[in-house]
Amino acid sequence: MSAIIEGPYMERTLVVLLEDKPGTLSHVVNLFRRRNFNIESLTVGHSETPGISRLTVVVLGDNDRIEQIIKQLRRLVNVTKVSDISDDAAVIREMTMIKVHCKPGTRSEIHDLANIYRAQIIDVALESMIIEITGTQDKVDSLIDLLRPFGIKEISRTGSMGMVRGLSGITNG
């Protein structure tokens, strides 16, 4: 891991592999709560290994606090591996759905914005459209900012998911 020089509190992306059993996710989240960490985003789903889930959690903290939470996560019985991928060559993305108000006169403008961002229009109704975008947090935020003047009705974001580039990774060392 490279040296962190960007300030005392930084956004860190942790990948946690844990047993897919009832209560395991609750134990992990409670650990963050007890240590007074605010979770910026959390995504969890099945991994390529049966019975193992992959949790991606983004938190803010200084080096010492992040190191401490990683050590405590590794002590949990149902956690099999913890990795901080923040400084690794990694692909980090999120998926977002945005429901935006539209009138017949603004549909083409919204459609053009979606195309610029390589987003998909996944639903069209009389007075709204749902746009799906996948990308970095900055890319998603940028599209949201451009859609605000049209009137955003709803936003649903997955939170960040990450994977280390190349053949070696979290699960296969």
Side-chain angles (χ1 to χ4, degrees):
M1 184 186 304
S2 63
I4 301 169
I5 56 173
E6 298 163 38
Y9 286 96
M10 308 210 20
E11 189 174 271
R12 308 302 291 170
T13 303
L14 307 179
V15 174
V16 182
L17 299 180
L18 44 95
E19 293 176 4
D20 189 7
K21 293 182 178 177
T24 302
L25 180 60
S26 177
H27 289 302
V28 170
V29 172
N30 280 332
L31 178 63
F32 282 95
R33 180 191 54 79
R34 286 192 312 268
R35 300 297 175 251
N36 205 26
F37 270 91
N38 185 40
I39 295 174
E40 297 293 312
S41 78
L42 181 140
T43 58
V44 65
H46 299 290
S47 74
E48 68 284 356
T49 306
I52 299 293
S53 290
R54 181 185 183 104
L55 166 72
T56 306
V57 60
V58 178
V59 294
L60 290 176
D62 61 28
N63 287 341
D64 292 337
R65 291 190 73 210
I66 297 295
E67 285 179 28
Q68 189 64 29
I69 198 83
I70 289 171
K71 287 177 186 174
Q72 291 170 354
L73 283 167
R74 287 180 176 146
R75 287 188 199 129
L76 293 177
V77 173
N78 299 107
V79 170
T80 61
K81 189 164 186 178
V82 181
S83 299
D84 181 350
I85 66 168
S86 307
D87 297 326
D88 294 339
V91 177
I92 298 176
R93 299 285 186 268
E94 74 172 74
M95 194 274 288
T96 301
M97 292 190 299
I98 308 157
K99 185 186 292 183
V100 63
H101 179 75
C102 68
K103 301 173 189 164
T106 61
R107 278 189 207 284
S108 64
E109 190 174 353
I110 294 169
H111 183 271
D112 290 346
L113 284 172
N115 282 340
I116 289 168
Y117 282 83
R118 295 184 183 158
Q120 301 294 315
I121 296 171
I122 58 172
D123 185 67
V124 177
L126 286 175
E127 296 185 359
S128 68
M129 298 171 82
I130 298 176
I131 299 167
E132 177 186 298
I133 182 171
T134 301
T136 64
Q137 184 178 352
D138 288 343
K139 178 181 175 182
V140 172
D141 289 342
S142 179
L143 179 59
I144 289 170
D145 289 343
L146 290 172
L147 292 173
R148 277 197 202 287
F150 297 99
I152 292 178
K153 295 181 172 215
E154 284 183 74
I155 296 177
S156 180
R157 297 177 89 151
T158 61
S160 295
M161 294 182 287
M163 192 171 285
V164 175
R165 294 180 186 269
L167 291 178
S168 67
I170 303 305
T171 57
N172 60 0

